[in-house]
């Protein structure tokens, strides 16, 4: 029961963090991206990718201070889906720590980071 309650709470908090603007899916990421949050973000983003007319995905890391390998996998999964149609993945407002994770994981080769 408690896990269900947490899931409902997460859905309410994160639901407003997804917007489609000018054919771009904008995803404002939470402060910490762990396995549970990465799964939710992936599922929600995939629904919007299928339902909306989306060409690119923009991940906004403004509030993000921690991301584990689940977050890396979440980004790679969205890249695989959007790149089939010529789309791109962007990371904006990434701080030094997040940029370091993107570089060490090899994501800098598939994710465009403005200002680097």
């Amino acid at each position: 029961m408690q896990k269900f309650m947490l899931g409902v709470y997460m859905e309410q908090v994160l639901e407003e963090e997804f917007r489609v603007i000018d054919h771009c899916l904008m995803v404002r990421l939470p402060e910490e991206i762990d396995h549970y949050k990465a799964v939710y973000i992936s599922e929600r983003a995939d629904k919007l990718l299928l339902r909306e007319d989306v060409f690119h995905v923009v991940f906004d890391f403004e509030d993000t201070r921690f991301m584990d390998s689940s977050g890396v996998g979440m980004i790679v999964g969205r890249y695989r889906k959007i790149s089939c149609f010529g789309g791109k993945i962007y990371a904006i407002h990434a701080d030094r720590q997040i940029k370091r994770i993107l570089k060490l994981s090899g994501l800098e080769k598939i994710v465009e980071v403005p200002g680097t």
Side-chain angles (χ1 to χ4, degrees):
M1 179 74 168
Q2 189 172 7
K3 186 174 182 177
F4 173 75
M5 296 293 285
L6 180 61
V8 170
Y9 173 75
M10 283 295 299
E11 191 167 325
Q12 290 171 345
V13 170
L14 292 176
E15 183 74 25
E16 63 193 40
E17 306 301 328
F18 296 83
R19 299 273 186 263
V20 177
I21 303 170
D22 294 331
H23 305 288
C24 290
L25 173 58
M26 309 290 291
V27 182
R28 186 177 181 107
L29 297 171
E31 185 175 347
E32 295 185 3
I33 305 171
D34 57 11
H35 173 73
Y36 181 74
K37 290 176 185 170
V39 168
Y40 176 80
I41 293 166
S42 297
E43 290 173 354
R44 182 71 181 122
D46 288 351
K47 286 179 187 175
L48 289 167
L49 290 174
L50 291 172
R51 193 174 68 205
E52 303 288 334
D53 194 18
V54 174
F55 302 144
H56 307 291
V57 178
V58 179
F59 290 107
D60 184 348
F61 284 92
E62 185 172 19
D63 298 330
T64 307
R65 302 294 166 252
F66 171 80
M67 180 172 73
D68 65 12
S69 61
S70 299
V72 172
M74 180 262 307
I75 293 170
V76 170
R78 291 342 91 215
Y79 169 77
R80 287 183 180 155
K81 290 181 186 295
I82 203 78
S83 66
C84 293
F85 306 104
K88 293 185 179 183
I89 300 286
Y90 297 89
I92 60 172
H93 302 127
D95 67 11
R96 196 181 75 196
Q97 178 68 18
I98 297 299
K99 286 180 182 176
R100 184 171 181 263
I101 292 169
L102 295 174
K103 183 175 183 172
L104 290 173
S105 66
L107 284 177
E108 67 178 359
K109 297 173 186 168
I110 63 171
V111 175
E112 299 206 19
V113 183
T116 55

